[in-house]
Amino acid sequence: MKDVKIEDFKVTGPIKLDGTKNDWDLDASEKELEDHLEDTRKKLGKLQDTLYAHGKYAVLVCLQGMDTAGKDSLIREVFKDFNARGVVVHSFKTPTALEKRHDYLWRHYVALPERGKFGVFNRTHYENVLVTRVHPEYILGENLPDVNSLDDIDEAFWDRRFQQINDFEKTIQQNGTIIFKFFLNLSKDEQKHRQLRRLDKPEKNWKFSPGDLDERELWEDYRKCYEEAINRTSKPHAPWYIIPADDKETSRVIVAEIMLQELKKYKDIKEPELDDEIKAKISEYRERLKND
């Protein structure tokens, strides 16, 4: 099996999504991919235990992608061997009435992982420069003081949003949150195949919504917005990774490997040592328990 090289997926300069791959050959069988993922996620789970004991970092994993890109199944498979209390998943849907009474980043702030834990955002704060950009009428529902019509949602508005997102990520990174941002890069043909599968298999019917077809017709609009969002917000402290997503097993291995390789670079993440006084009395404590 080929090694996963971070530089093949990390966005470090301007990109064109039309020039990125939707599939990737790791030269491995399905069984080899499954075995490798199992090994990697166990290592990640052990690392999370150490992260919790260390208590100085949190990890935020952001997943974005078109409908059927595989976000849900990736979360299920990559985080399967974590301590259930060590990872918290948030799926952000249409903002509630309460959420609309706050700024658009509020609901993401309150969902951030605490130190020692992994937080996974299934769809993220980037919806506010993706869905709302394709459907700017949604912005009117935010009841912003300077936005009274669609004419007020100009390029300067989006410039501010991108800057606000960059500032948000910089702030949480400077305060101990390690950020991973994964764009699951699905091809339009593969999306069609997966949507048909939802219709053909009764047990998958619940996943289908007629609105998914309406959004599919806006494929190029979404790709354009994703491309700009990635280019404007992939920073050294919070880079984007473009993950080929036409093969789910391969995409899961790549995501897990990137997280493991990057987290291993934090050499200060280790279990705290006992105080010298407690160390010196371990034998005494052991005897007390034996004689209890």
Side-chain angles (χ1 to χ4, degrees):
M1 177 174 164
K2 295 178 182 177
D3 292 336
V4 173
K5 298 179 180 179
I6 289 176
E7 59 268 23
D8 288 332
F9 311 100
K10 188 174 184 178
V11 177
T12 57
I15 57 96
K16 290 283 188 183
L17 282 181
D18 285 345
T20 59
K21 292 186 176 182
N22 304 112
D23 54 16
W24 198 268
D25 184 12
L26 287 176
D27 193 23
S29 66
E30 185 173 331
K31 180 65 165 59
E32 288 172 325
L33 290 171
E34 290 176 354
D35 290 344
H36 188 87
L37 177 59
E38 181 178 2
D39 180 63
T40 305
R41 72 187 180 214
K42 285 181 177 178
K43 291 176 181 176
L44 281 169
K46 189 176 186 311
L47 193 151
Q48 188 274 316
D49 287 339
T50 304
L51 190 85
Y52 183 82
H54 183 242
K56 292 189 176 182
Y57 292 101
V59 178
L60 176 63
V61 180
C62 299
L63 297 176
Q64 286 287 162
M66 297 292 285
D67 181 49
T68 76
K71 298 181 291 296
D72 291 335
S73 61
L74 185 147
I75 293 168
R76 182 188 68 235
E77 296 301 322
V78 170
F79 295 94
K80 186 181 291 184
D81 289 311
F82 276 58
N83 183 322
R85 296 178 65 184
V87 56
V88 181
V89 179
H90 292 274
S91 295
F92 293 100
K93 307 294 185 182
T94 302
T96 65
L98 173 62
E99 289 167 345
K100 286 183 178 180
R101 294 183 68 84
H102 294 268
D103 69 272
Y104 70 93
L105 286 171
W106 176 79
R107 65 176 181 161
H108 304 287
Y109 262 114
V110 299
L112 287 171
E114 61 191 77
R115 290 186 177 91
K117 293 188 177 183
F118 278 61
V120 182
F121 284 2
N122 183 356
R123 298 191 183 276
T124 71
H125 44 291
Y126 282 95
E127 294 293 288
N128 297 284
V129 289
L130 294 168
V131 174
T132 55
R133 201 156 194 198
V134 176
H135 299 282
E137 64 273 15
Y138 293 168
I139 295 292
L140 300 179
E142 296 183 18
N143 204 28
L144 297 173
D146 297 324
V147 178
N148 300 303
S149 71
L150 292 179
D151 292 337
D152 296 321
I153 308 172
D154 54 12
E155 284 304 310
F157 175 89
W158 298 114
D159 288 342
R160 288 194 299 273
R161 284 237 154 154
F162 282 121
Q163 187 58 53
Q164 289 160 359
I165 288 173
N166 284 327
D167 291 343
F168 165 67
E169 292 176 351
K170 186 66 173 178
T171 297
I172 64 174
Q173 182 272 335
Q174 289 176 334
N175 284 275
T177 297
I178 301 167
I179 304 170
F180 292 98
K181 300 186 299 192
F182 298 110
F183 171 60
L184 302 185
N185 192 23
L186 185 72
S187 69
K188 193 174 185 180
D189 285 344
E190 180 62 20
Q191 186 194 62
K192 178 180 179 179
H193 170 74
R194 293 181 187 181
Q195 287 181 332
L196 284 170
R197 186 167 177 265
R198 288 180 177 180
L199 292 171
D200 294 339
K201 291 183 175 290
E203 69 274 18
K204 300 287 185 182
N205 287 171
W206 66 272
K207 290 187 174 183
F208 179 79
S209 168
D212 296 340
L213 301 184
D214 296 332
E215 292 299 281
R216 178 175 165 81
E217 292 179 359
L218 299 170
W219 178 274
E220 294 303 327
D221 293 333
Y222 274 106
R223 294 281 287 184
K224 179 181 177 182
C225 291
Y226 265 113
E227 183 175 284
E228 182 172 4
I230 290 169
N231 281 327
R232 297 187 66 167
T233 62
S234 193
K235 305 294 182 181
H237 61 275
W240 277 100
Y241 300 89
I242 298 178
I243 309 299
D246 277 9
D247 181 77
K248 290 184 177 182
E249 287 76 15
T250 299
S251 65
R252 295 164 189 163
V253 168
I254 293 171
V255 166
E257 270 290 338
I258 288 173
M259 287 195 294
L260 182 62
Q261 291 179 35
E262 286 291 346
L263 289 171
K264 280 184 174 180
K265 295 177 182 179
Y266 289 80
K267 302 301 183 183
D268 58 326
I269 298 178
K270 54 187 177 182
E271 294 178 359
E273 295 185 5
L274 292 173
D275 293 340
D276 290 340
E277 183 178 349
I278 296 177
K279 276 185 182 179
K281 294 183 177 181
I282 283 181
S283 296
E284 178 183 333
Y285 300 143
R286 186 182 293 113
E287 288 302 314
R288 284 178 60 182
L289 284 169
K290 287 180 177 180
N291 295 327
D292 187 356

